[in-house]
Amino acid sequence: MTFELTELSLAEKAALGSGQDFWTTKAVGPVPSLVLTDGPHGVRRQAGATDHLGLAGSLPATCFPPAVGLGQSWDAELVRRVGVALGRESRNLGVDVLLGPGINIKRDPRCGRNFEYYSEDPVLTGVLGAAWVQGLQSTGVGASLKHFAANNTEHDRMRSSSDIDPRPLREIYLRAFAHIVRTAEPWTVMCSYNRINGVPAAENRWLLTELLREEWGYQGLVVSDWGAVSDRVAAVAAGLDLQMPSSGSASDDAVVAAVRAGTLDPAVVDRAAERVAALAAKAVAGRADVEPHDAPEHHALAREVAAQCIVLLRNDGGLLPLSPSRSIAVIGEFAESPRYQGGGSSHVNPTRVDTPLAEIRALATGTVTYAQGFTTDGSPAGALSEEAVRAAAQAEVAVLFLGLAASQESEGFDRDHIELPAGQLALLTEVLAVQPDTVVVLAHGGVLRLAPIGAPAILDGALLGQAGGGAIADVLFGAVNPSGRLTETVPVRIQDTPAYLNFPGENSHVRYGEGLFVGYRWYDARELEVGYPFGHGLSYTSFEYSDLAVDSASADLTVSVTITNTGDRAGREVVQCYTAKPDSTVVRPPRELKGFRGVYLEPGAGERVRITIRREDLAYWETRTDQWIVEDGDYEVSVGASSRDLRCVAKVSVSGDQVRLPLSLESTLGEIMTDPNAGPVLEFLAGNAPAGMAADGGDALGLDLARMMASVPLGKLVAFGAGSLAELEQVIAKVNGPS
Ligand code: BGC
């Protein structure tokens, strides 16, 4: 199906490019109106008042685990299934485009919106985000890949400039976007509020046209974040197709006026209108078969998914799983009113909410007592903590629910610290004093400092969606063997974090001074201790890794390793594969995640697990020639259960890209010495060596002359008598060959 636009006037085409109201586009000529709405972990379809902060109500929809929880599954197939379920609900609620997934990189644990993002790692983010988009779009509903790009703080998000060098921009912040655009073809991409190196994303031609369309081949539509456009004409010229929400008719009129004044190419307006029409065609086709979804079935899926997202951080002495017959003191307000999603535009009105307390009671056969223990609104706990300590002492085991309240983290602002409330920590100390068998269950959207949590067992649920209560009970009692993994490093202290000195920025500039060293890349390079490493997560069983092999016969590498369940329970192991290039000619993190795969094994069973490392993921961004380069030579490939629990390592030789950096008068002697093609230049220099600078000239003084001279540019040698500039230029031109 296509909608023909030839009959439309300029004004009508311009009108297609901005919203009709908060959530819909305009019906113009043959093109029908479309409904776009949030997303991403549930459908926020507002029937009455509209807003982008999750304030006014919305129709009931299943609240799946937000990305902070979902990501911890490290399970693309599971994420795809969530995408399918979200698509069905969108269709039933009359939604054409669901505004997600959010795939910004978690640069700093304080970012208020980290709960809506997957990880500090771009490969993990890319794989999970692509699965979400594929699942959703398989139902005829479009995704909106957001927030493009480099939107990594909430503070000042509508003005501030993310000032990033080209390598981290490409290798960390844009990598997942590129991967998802290429492999999952999201119907829409949402440009962010912020500036990138000074240029607003909505008006950034390099971002929206040169990179997204010309380099990555994107065919879909670019929509603005809600209210991100200040200058519609500049935005359309840069490559924006749809401004949301409505701006009245003012910005449409501005587009028409600019075309009439000759300052905006009418072809650009035509193209934007065609993209809106193409989106409408896909949406209308998708509306055709709407199968009603079953809310209880989706709730059951939400429970299954949530259980896969729980990370067993610690389990000293095998305290977990609990025998259902033990008497349990359940403590903490979150057991009764769980924190299961984040605040802001993604806030969903759940179809129901399971509480951990009720679900524990449903599975336990022994006595279960409950004590609130503390308040989440900051009011004094008074006798609550005494009651909780008493309950803990009287039971055989205590399960203490700790976490952050909704008011402590949200879209729209960043946190100032990563601490749990002091009152909760004080209660934990008191409970531990009377009950050593204490399990802590955590709820939070952003990373917490966990050093003060001295409990022998810790389950990290992050945010688990509406069915998280049942999932927690399933894991506590061992009905589900936990297999979630951290997608972010838990630091020992906030002062250790990579962006500590550059967050959240100043005077509307955020300097990404840590460069490539985001998340575990930083802690590994600095050899810092961490609270819990990236990729960490325990199981009720154990796994052995053996026989690592790497096949480099084709462009991508195939890594194979045998995983054996050596414990006495069935379980899933998430096998993680990292690479390193210790002899790289450019700065590189000590190791980087390149692939992963989950494997479910019965006790005693083993399986050969294969992980593909895509060649493109080995590449670094070469700033001198603006291109991706796979370096030649040996790479280290390690596999393991976390970034700091690597079990096997192998070396593989990769044939790299043949890249020639042209020589110039700016090339240094050091660069010349390592360039295999630079022979003629070296010969020329040998014949014109400045007096006293012969290769062995420093020996007598014990100097390493070659090293001292390595940084001297060729052109500067002329001043020391190494021939004339013209002669040098001639030799250089000969080496560079025909240009
Ligand atoms: C958020 C987007 C959201 C939009 C619509 C914005 O404030 O940044 O993620 O999709 O509002 O609610």
Side-chain angles (χ1 to χ4, degrees):
M1 170 189 298
T2 46
F3 294 116
E4 208 33 76
L5 302 187
T6 38
E7 304 288 302
L8 294 196
S9 65
L10 171 63
E12 286 172 316
K13 287 179 189 163
L16 271 178
S18 74
Q20 163 176 269
D21 53 31
F22 211 80
W23 298 122
T24 66
T25 62
K26 300 191 198 92
V28 179
V31 184
S33 167
L34 303 177
V35 176
L36 299 81
T37 201
D38 292 306
H41 58 268
V43 184
R44 188 168 70 96
R45 176 75 155 114
Q46 295 187 308
T50 51
D51 71 285
H52 64 300
L53 294 173
L55 305 175
S58 53
L59 298 171
T62 310
C63 177
F64 289 97
V68 62
L70 191 57
Q72 291 184 166
S73 71
W74 290 58
D75 187 338
E77 174 51 22
L78 197 72
V79 174
R80 195 194 61 78
R81 284 170 63 203
V82 171
V84 170
L86 288 168
R88 294 220 173 100
E89 294 200 22
S90 301
R91 272 279 154 259
N92 282 292
L93 289 165
V95 173
D96 299 304
V97 174
L98 192 66
L99 302 175
I103 61 152
N104 296 99
I105 292 296
K106 303 194 198 203
R107 172 176 175 251
D108 188 286
R110 288 164 293 183
C111 172
R113 216 167 176 188
N114 276 356
F115 76 90
E116 250 188 272
Y117 304 140
Y118 289 106
S119 175
E120 66 190 22
D121 181 84
V123 167
L124 178 58
T125 299
V127 170
L128 298 183
W132 192 97
V133 172
Q134 279 153 353
L136 181 87
Q137 294 192 167
S138 71
T139 65
V141 172
S144 195
L145 196 62
K146 68 188 189 183
H147 308 86
F148 190 51
N151 177 192
N152 311 96
T153 127
E154 287 301 281
H155 171 78
D156 208 11
R157 66 173 165 160
M158 294 192 159
R159 290 188 312 186
S160 79
S161 172
S162 301
D163 297 341
I164 318 181
D165 290 339
R167 278 196 66 197
L169 184 58
R170 293 279 188 160
E171 294 181 35
I172 305 288
Y173 297 99
L174 294 173
R175 203 164 207 147
F177 281 102
H179 174 70
I180 299 171
V181 162
R182 286 187 170 130
T183 60
E185 299 178 17
W187 291 9
T188 78
V189 167
M190 183 193 290
C191 73
S192 54
Y193 288 127
N194 54 287
R195 295 172 158 81
I196 297 143
N197 293 326
V199 184
E203 295 168 26
N204 199 318
R205 196 187 132 74
W206 172 77
L207 186 75
L208 303 186
T209 297
E210 290 168 32
L211 182 76
L212 180 63
R213 297 196 183 278
E214 294 167 8
E215 200 178 312
W216 298 350
Y218 182 60
Q219 303 287 330
L221 170 139
V222 175
V223 59
S224 71
D225 198 344
W226 266 232
V229 173
S230 352
D231 180 341
R232 167 95 179 276
V233 173
V236 172
L240 182 100
D241 303 307
L242 177 62
Q243 173 190 17
M244 286 301 287
S246 162
S247 66
S249 60
S251 78
D252 300 343
D253 297 344
V255 167
V256 172
V259 171
R260 296 220 165 108
T263 50
L264 181 65
D265 182 355
V268 176
V269 183
D270 285 354
R271 247 195 330 262
E274 277 154 20
R275 290 192 192 119
V276 177
L279 176 68
K282 286 193 260 194
V284 169
R287 287 174 190 168
D289 324 293
V290 182
E291 277 174 45
H293 74 270
D294 180 46
E297 207 180 280
H298 279 192
H299 183 76
L301 173 63
R303 178 172 181 152
E304 180 195 335
V305 172
Q308 299 304 314
C309 301
I310 295 172
V311 179
L312 176 61
L313 287 177
R314 180 170 176 179
N315 195 18
D316 294 355
L319 177 56
L320 289 174
L322 301 175
S323 153
S325 60
R326 290 181 87 178
S327 64
I328 305 175
V330 174
I331 299 169
E333 196 180 312
F334 296 116
E336 226 187 2
S337 19
R339 173 95 200 292
Y340 58 92
Q341 65 174 327
S345 59
S346 66
H347 201 267
V348 174
N349 174 16
T351 56
R352 65 184 248 205
V353 178
D354 291 346
T355 73
L357 179 58
E359 298 302 322
I360 289 170
R361 286 202 161 119
L363 294 188
T365 53
T367 322
V368 177
T369 53
Y370 169 68
Q372 185 183 325
F374 55 85
T375 59
T376 51
D377 62 6
S379 56
L384 294 179
S385 61
E386 284 158 36
E387 181 203 359
V389 172
R390 241 186 345 266
Q394 281 162 8
E396 288 171 284
V397 56
V399 180
L400 181 47
F401 288 81
L402 304 179
L404 297 180
S407 60
Q408 287 162 331
E409 52 178 0
S410 164
E411 175 178 348
F413 67 89
D414 298 318
R415 286 182 299 164
D416 302 323
H417 59 76
I418 57 169
E419 300 295 322
L420 270 167
Q424 293 187 29
L425 293 177
L427 176 67
L428 171 64
T429 307
E430 289 176 57
V431 167
L432 278 173
V434 299
Q435 180 51 270
D437 282 356
T438 293
V439 181
V440 166
V441 182
L442 296 166
H444 57 102
V447 161
L448 296 167
R449 189 171 74 93
L450 299 181
I453 301 203
I458 308 175
L459 285 182
D460 188 358
L463 300 175
L464 291 172
Q466 69 179 45
I472 289 168
D474 287 340
V475 170
L476 281 173
F477 293 114
V480 172
N481 187 350
S483 61
R485 298 299 168 94
L486 292 179
T487 64
E488 291 173 78
T489 309
V490 177
V492 170
R493 39 177 223 149
I494 187 68
Q495 292 86 342
D496 291 345
T497 56
Y500 180 65
L501 298 176
N502 287 310
F503 188 91
E506 191 173 50
N507 299 334
S508 296
H509 281 271
V510 188
R511 171 93 196 109
Y512 285 46
E514 69 287 354
L516 295 169
F517 297 93
V518 177
Y520 64 90
R521 291 163 167 82
W522 167 264
Y523 304 99
D524 289 350
R526 304 285 315 272
E527 296 183 5
L528 291 170
E529 285 302 312
V530 297
Y532 293 96
F534 173 81
H536 171 77
L538 304 174
S539 165
Y540 297 153
T541 187
S542 51
F543 298 95
E544 200 179 85
Y545 288 60
S546 58
D547 300 325
L548 172 64
V550 186
D551 179 354
S552 58
S554 54
D556 295 340
L557 301 177
T558 306
V559 179
S560 318
V561 62
T562 301
I563 308 294
T564 311
N565 183 344
T566 50
D568 55 8
R569 274 173 186 267
R572 188 176 81 107
E573 175 73 340
V574 178
V575 183
Q576 302 163 39
C577 182
Y578 296 82
T579 64
K581 180 102 182 76
D583 64 351
S584 175
T585 57
V586 293
V587 170
R588 289 219 182 198
R591 75 186 62 91
E592 297 182 280
L593 182 78
K594 300 296 172 190
F596 59 94
R597 187 167 292 269
V599 56
Y600 187 85
L601 294 169
E602 295 296 328
E607 198 175 305
R608 197 88 183 129
V609 171
R610 286 189 178 73
I611 298 173
T612 302
I613 301 180
R614 291 166 305 209
R615 183 178 170 85
E616 72 215 48
D617 285 334
L618 292 176
Y620 77 92
W621 181 254
E622 173 53 66
T623 53
R624 289 166 295 185
T625 51
D626 279 353
Q627 70 184 125
W628 289 103
I629 290 185
V630 174
E631 280 184 286
D632 205 62
D634 285 349
Y635 288 71
E636 250 175 46
V637 175
S638 0
V639 291
S642 89
S643 61
R644 291 206 172 172
D645 182 7
L646 300 170
R647 308 281 182 86
C648 311
V649 56
K651 215 176 241 176
V652 61
S653 167
V654 171
S655 133
D657 297 329
Q658 296 308 317
V659 189
R660 278 217 40 209
L661 295 172
L663 296 183
S664 72
L665 290 173
E666 282 289 291
S667 305
T668 63
L669 275 178
E671 287 161 1
I672 303 276
M673 303 293 281
T674 52
D675 187 331
N677 302 300
V681 180
L682 288 173
E683 279 162 32
F684 174 81
L685 291 177
N688 293 277
M693 286 194 193
D696 58 358
D699 280 3
L701 299 172
L703 298 175
D704 185 342
L705 197 59
R707 220 168 158 194
M708 290 170 75
M709 296 292 288
S711 303
V712 179
L714 279 181
K716 299 280 186 231
L717 286 175
V718 172
F720 304 111
S724 70
L725 268 185
E727 284 172 315
L728 255 180
E729 269 170 344
Q730 250 179 27
V731 189
I732 288 171
K734 190 166 144 206
V735 171
N736 286 342
S739 55

